[in-house]
């Protein structure tokens, strides 16, 4: 199967995407069982915490056809007992002869030991197939396991000249319906959403993810005091050092934090180097002098050498707007 390993890993990545919303705090893993003829005889993805991992689901669907077959899995199989049993043991017991892994799991309970145990049991193992794509898909999980903090995504919606509110304070809506729906998907992929108290007072947001008839409620975090009648309640009210806030959220299994705060909050996270990824929605609109609130008005950049540069990883047209993804 060597010539098709990359093709099968892409299919495993697709399978893993099905688990993105319900798997956390577990990783959203995809797995395939492929026979010697190159046929996929079992596919699986991670289920909700306490339920089957991707490997177990793929093995269950393959049944006896797993014996002598190859497993293709995006993340290194676990080798410890958590809410479920070790996947490594199940893979060996099923008679899998070869395992192709996208990337190693940095979790201290695994971290290469899953691969070592498979090899010690006589299973051939290949690691690093389509690793860049797998790491991109699992970026939040991998970051959390390495640092103990959530992966921070900063979301901004502005005019093309960088304005997020007008002189009369109005800001809804700068972007169109398609971009706003896309932002709700981003909310659904995050275990917590953070804004400043100023945003709560100005906009009184609900901060839920609304996907058609489905409403997902991430943890709501507000920097500062929240009015008693605010729609964001119940929420976690915090103040002080942002790094400590991230530490606390990481301890509560928040893998990805979406920062939707206004210019002051957004600038503070960027200023302190706490942002991993920026999602910037831009509308084909121009505020000019009528726009008084710049998206990052509090960010201090005295010289060209002080510019905070990132890397554009994607530019997508969404309806009449564009979404720019930047890693920082």
């Amino acid at each position: 199967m060597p010539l098709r390993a990359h093709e099968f890993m892409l299919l495993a990545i697709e399978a893993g995407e099905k688990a993105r919303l319900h798997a956390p705090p577990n990783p959203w893993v995809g797995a395939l069982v492929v026979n010697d003829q190159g046929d996929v005889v079992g596919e699986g993805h991670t289920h909700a915490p306490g339920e089957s991992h991707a490997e177990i689901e793929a093995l269950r669907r393959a049944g006896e056809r797993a014996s002598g077959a190859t497993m293709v899995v995006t993340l290194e199989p676990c080798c410890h007992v958590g809410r479920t049993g070790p996947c490594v043991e199940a893979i060996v017991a099923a008679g899998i002869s070869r395992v192709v892994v996208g990337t190693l799991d940095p979790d201290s309970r695994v971290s290469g030991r899953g691969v070592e145990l498979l090899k010690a049991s006589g299973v051939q193992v290949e690691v690093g197939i389509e690793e860049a794509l797998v790491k991109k898909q699992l970026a939040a999980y991998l970051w959390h396991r390495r640092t103990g903090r959530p992966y921070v995504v900063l979301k901004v919606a502005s005019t093309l000249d960088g304005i997020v509110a007008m002189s009369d304070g109005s800001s809804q809506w700068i972007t169109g319906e398609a971009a706003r729906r896309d932002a709700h998907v981003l909310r659904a992929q995050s275990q917590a959403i953070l804004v400043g108290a100023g945003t709560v007072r100005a906009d009184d947001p609900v901060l839920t993810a609304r996907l058609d008839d489905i409403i997902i409620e991430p943890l709501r975090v507000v920097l500062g005091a929240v009015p008693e009648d605010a729609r964001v309640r119940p929420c976690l009210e915090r103040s002080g050092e942002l790094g400590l806030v991230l530490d606390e959220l990481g301890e509560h299994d928040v893998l990805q934090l979406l920062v939707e705060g206004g210019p002051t909050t957004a600038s503070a996270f960027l200023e302190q180097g706490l942002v991993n990824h920026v999602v910037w929605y831009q509308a084909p609109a121009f505020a000019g002098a009528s726009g008084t609130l710049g998206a990052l008005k509090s960010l201090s950049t005295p010289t060209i050498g002080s510019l905070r540069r990132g890397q554009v990883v994607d530019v997508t047209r969404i309806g009449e707007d564009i979404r720019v993804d930047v890693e920082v």
Side-chain angles (χ1 to χ4, degrees):
M1 196 189 70
L3 294 179
R4 299 186 64 190
H6 291 269
E7 173 188 337
F8 288 122
M9 185 59 72
L10 294 179
L11 293 176
I13 290 172
E14 288 183 13
E17 199 61 29
K18 299 174 184 176
R20 184 183 284 270
L21 299 186
H22 63 252
N26 291 332
W28 35 103
V29 176
L32 306 177
V33 176
V34 184
N35 65 19
D36 289 341
Q37 289 73 48
D39 300 318
V40 176
V41 295
E43 177 186 308
H45 60 268
T46 311
H47 285 246
E51 300 180 10
S52 299
H53 288 189
E55 299 94 321
I56 303 303
E57 184 69 11
L59 289 173
R60 183 186 67 79
R61 293 182 176 180
E64 295 181 355
R65 295 172 295 178
S67 181
T70 294
M71 172 166 284
V72 180
V73 59
T74 54
L75 186 69
E76 177 183 16
C78 67
C79 54
H80 61 282
V81 177
R83 293 186 178 95
T84 60
C87 289
V88 165
E89 290 184 5
I91 291 169
V92 173
I96 290 288
S97 63
R98 180 177 175 229
V99 176
V100 177
V101 177
T103 193
L104 296 179
D105 188 343
D107 189 306
S108 60
R109 298 168 296 180
V110 189
S111 193
R113 283 190 285 276
V115 166
E116 291 173 3
L117 287 172
L118 287 171
K119 291 180 177 178
S121 300
V123 179
Q124 298 178 29
V125 182
E126 184 176 0
V127 179
I129 300 299
E130 294 294 347
E131 187 167 29
L133 286 179
V134 172
K135 285 185 173 180
K136 179 180 179 181
Q137 182 183 45
L138 295 174
Y141 169 81
L142 298 174
W143 176 263
H144 179 269
R145 288 302 189 269
R146 288 196 300 266
T147 69
R149 289 180 171 182
Y151 184 86
V152 177
V153 177
L154 172 63
K155 190 215 85 174
V156 178
S158 76
T159 61
L160 204 58
D161 52 344
I163 298 300
V164 297
M166 306 304 290
S167 56
D168 65 355
S170 60
S171 62
Q172 296 179 337
W173 298 100
I174 289 176
T175 54
E177 184 177 345
R180 297 198 298 273
R181 176 178 171 77
D182 188 74
H184 276 272
V185 174
L186 196 59
R187 284 183 176 183
Q189 293 173 346
S190 305
Q191 292 73 57
I193 303 174
L194 182 147
V195 298
T199 294
V200 173
R201 290 190 296 269
D203 299 336
D204 195 19
V206 181
L207 299 183
T208 57
R210 299 178 292 279
L211 305 176
D212 296 325
D213 295 330
I214 301 173
I215 297 179
I216 299 173
E217 298 193 42
L219 173 67
R220 276 73 63 88
V221 185
V222 179
L223 298 180
V226 176
E228 292 184 0
D229 59 347
R231 294 193 301 166
V232 75
R233 289 190 177 275
C235 65
L236 192 66
E237 297 173 77
R238 289 293 181 267
S239 59
E241 187 179 336
L242 294 180
L244 295 180
V245 175
L246 293 182
D247 289 337
E248 180 184 359
L249 294 177
E251 290 172 0
H252 286 84
D253 289 331
V254 174
L255 304 186
Q256 179 167 298
L257 171 67
L258 180 62
V259 175
E260 286 198 18
T264 300
T265 299
S267 297
F269 270 87
L270 278 172
E271 188 89 52
Q272 296 180 37
L274 299 176
V275 177
N276 299 92
H277 192 102
V278 176
V279 176
W280 198 302
Y281 298 97
Q282 287 189 311
F286 308 91
S290 297
T292 60
L293 202 56
L296 301 173
K297 70 167 187 176
S298 301
L299 189 63
S300 176
T301 310
T303 68
I304 195 70
S306 302
L307 285 175
R308 288 158 181 81
R309 296 186 182 273
Q311 179 182 6
V312 175
V313 293
D314 201 7
V315 179
T316 311
R317 179 168 177 171
I318 302 177
E320 294 301 315
D321 307 311
I322 61 171
R323 167 177 166 164
V324 181
D325 284 73
V326 178
E327 289 181 354
V328 294

